[in-house]
Amino acid sequence: MAVLPRKNFTRSGRLSGDDGPSRLLPGLTIDGHLEVDGEIYIDGLVNGRIDGGIVIIGPQGTVVGDIVAREVRIEGTLEGRTFAHHVSITQTARVTGRVFHHTISVDKGARIDARMPWRPLNYFETLDQLPETRS
Amino acid sequence: MTMFTRSDKSADEKPQNTPEAARTPATPQLRPSATSPAAAPVAGTRAHGTSVIGKAVKITGQIESTEDVQIEGQVDGDVRGQTVTIGANARVKGTVYGETVEVAGTVEGKIEARKVVITGTGHMTGDVIHADIRIESGAFIEGHLRPEHGKEPKPSSNKSGT
């Protein structure tokens, strides 16, 4: 699956004209599979899998499940697995599970109870089928 | 280079940088105008707004919100919210529940809301259960409009009496 964002969607958003990124705010819960062609900001709760270009878990956001993306920024809570070229984990983050990455940054203050395996870039090109791992 | 001379071990123990302290927002808290139960698991009192499911998003599953939801992408599943807006290019397959539901896009399934608006670009396949409905010229509706929102469902025990 291509995780690169497709820019400049040409369809006209007549109702809103809103071309901004998707944002899930507190109070919102999604159970299921999200496929994002671009960026998504999550300050709500997602149970399930997220495929995206850039996935940002805001300080109040929680994701329980798997994230597959080019870039993942975690400011909130992740329980599960991340597969991303670049992962940044900020001060307010709480991470449990596994963080598969090529490059990573972790801020002081983050709470992490996870494995963080490094993988070569081509590993992320073949992630249609996620590996089985035991948490 | 003083940063290398301090004792990092003791600095790590200091609680001042705990996540709790850092995640408390400095911004003033906005009270929601609507009655929102404190259902948000992490933060029921933070600033509220409309969650946006953008054009480039496809969701397979359920969406539930105590706040407003705007959908511009594709949803296969049910949507619940206060005010739910289905944008002109959006497509929802499933039931849309809300206080107010506005449809400018495509819904295949059902709408259950107190107030329903189908705009001129709206395309609705399925029943609409409402208490108040507005349909603009150009809208497509295939299904029943039933002004039964908020009423008791018809008792199915009638059959036993006959």
Side-chain angles (χ1 to χ4, degrees), chain B residues 43-57:
Chain B
T45 57
R46 252 279 267 182
H48 293 278
T50 304
S51 292
V52 180
I53 312 292
K55 288 175 192 172
V57 179

Side-chain angles (χ1 to χ4, degrees), chain A residues 81-114:
Chain A
R81 299 182 301 176
T82 290
F83 303 81
H85 291 187
H86 179 70
V87 179
S88 38
I89 300 176
T90 69
Q91 199 184 24
T92 50
R94 290 151 185 262
V95 180
T96 54
R98 294 183 188 223
V99 181
F100 293 83
H101 67 276
H102 188 69
T103 56
I104 192 166
S105 70
V106 179
D107 286 354
K108 185 174 178 179
R111 286 196 198 174
I112 300 175
D113 180 7

Side-chain angles (χ1 to χ4, degrees), chain A residues 9 11-16 18-38 40 43 45 59-60 62 76-77 91-94 108-109 111, chain B residues 6 11-12 17 19-20 22-23 40 42-43 46 48-67 69-70 72 85-89 102 104 121:
Chain A
F9 255 65
R11 287 187 294 173
S12 59
R14 287 210 285 139
L15 184 75
S16 66
D18 185 359
D19 275 291
S22 302
R23 51 179 201 273
L24 314 181
L25 300 184
L28 187 93
T29 303
I30 293 181
D31 291 306
H33 185 181
L34 276 81
E35 291 166 77
V36 186
D37 201 355
I40 187 164
D43 240 347
L45 171 65
Q60 301 175 67
T62 300
T77 305
Q91 199 184 24
T92 50
R94 290 151 185 262
K108 185 174 178 179
R111 286 196 198 174
Chain B
R6 74 171 185 206
D12 280 340
N17 270 348
E20 284 83 3
R23 64 197 304 157
V42 186
R46 252 279 267 182
H48 293 278
T50 304
S51 292
V52 180
I53 312 292
K55 288 175 192 172
V57 179
K58 184 179 174 204
I59 295 176
T60 312
Q62 282 202 2
I63 303 173
E64 227 178 300
S65 181
T66 55
E67 308 296 327
V69 182
Q70 181 183 341
E72 302 291 336
T85 309
I86 315 286
N89 290 303
E102 187 172 332
T121 56

Side-chain angles (χ1 to χ4, degrees), chain B:
Chain B
M1 284 306 188
T2 52
M3 63 180 289
F4 293 116
T5 59
R6 74 171 185 206
S7 165
D8 268 341
K9 277 177 188 166
S10 62
D12 280 340
E13 306 292 323
K14 284 182 186 170
Q16 63 187 12
N17 270 348
T18 55
E20 284 83 3
R23 64 197 304 157
T24 306
T27 51
Q29 293 183 342
L30 302 177
R31 299 301 297 171
S33 55
T35 55
S36 70
V42 186
T45 57
R46 252 279 267 182
H48 293 278
T50 304
S51 292
V52 180
I53 312 292
K55 288 175 192 172
V57 179
K58 184 179 174 204
I59 295 176
T60 312
Q62 282 202 2
I63 303 173
E64 227 178 300
S65 181
T66 55
E67 308 296 327
D68 298 348
V69 182
Q70 181 183 341
I71 292 170
E72 302 291 336
Q74 275 189 53
V75 178
D76 271 16
D78 297 347
V79 181
R80 281 172 199 271
Q82 284 296 314
T83 299
V84 181
T85 309
I86 315 286
N89 290 303
R91 183 183 201 90
V92 176
K93 280 185 190 174
T95 304
V96 183
Y97 302 90
E99 266 300 292
T100 304
V101 172
E102 187 172 332
V103 179
T106 302
V107 176
E108 284 175 43
K110 198 164 85 170
I111 295 174
E112 276 197 56
R114 193 177 58 75
K115 188 178 175 190
V116 177
V117 178
I118 316 257
T119 73
T121 56
H123 193 108
M124 173 66 207
T125 311
D127 292 358
V128 181
I129 297 173
H130 61 91
D132 172 344
I133 189 164
R134 180 157 65 88
I135 303 169
E136 292 180 3
S137 167
F140 176 96
I141 300 176
E142 187 182 327
H144 294 285
L145 306 180
R146 293 188 288 170
E148 292 164 4
H149 181 75
K151 297 179 183 170
E152 289 287 310
K154 287 173 186 168
S156 57
S157 57
N158 277 356
K159 290 169 188 170
S160 60
T162 55

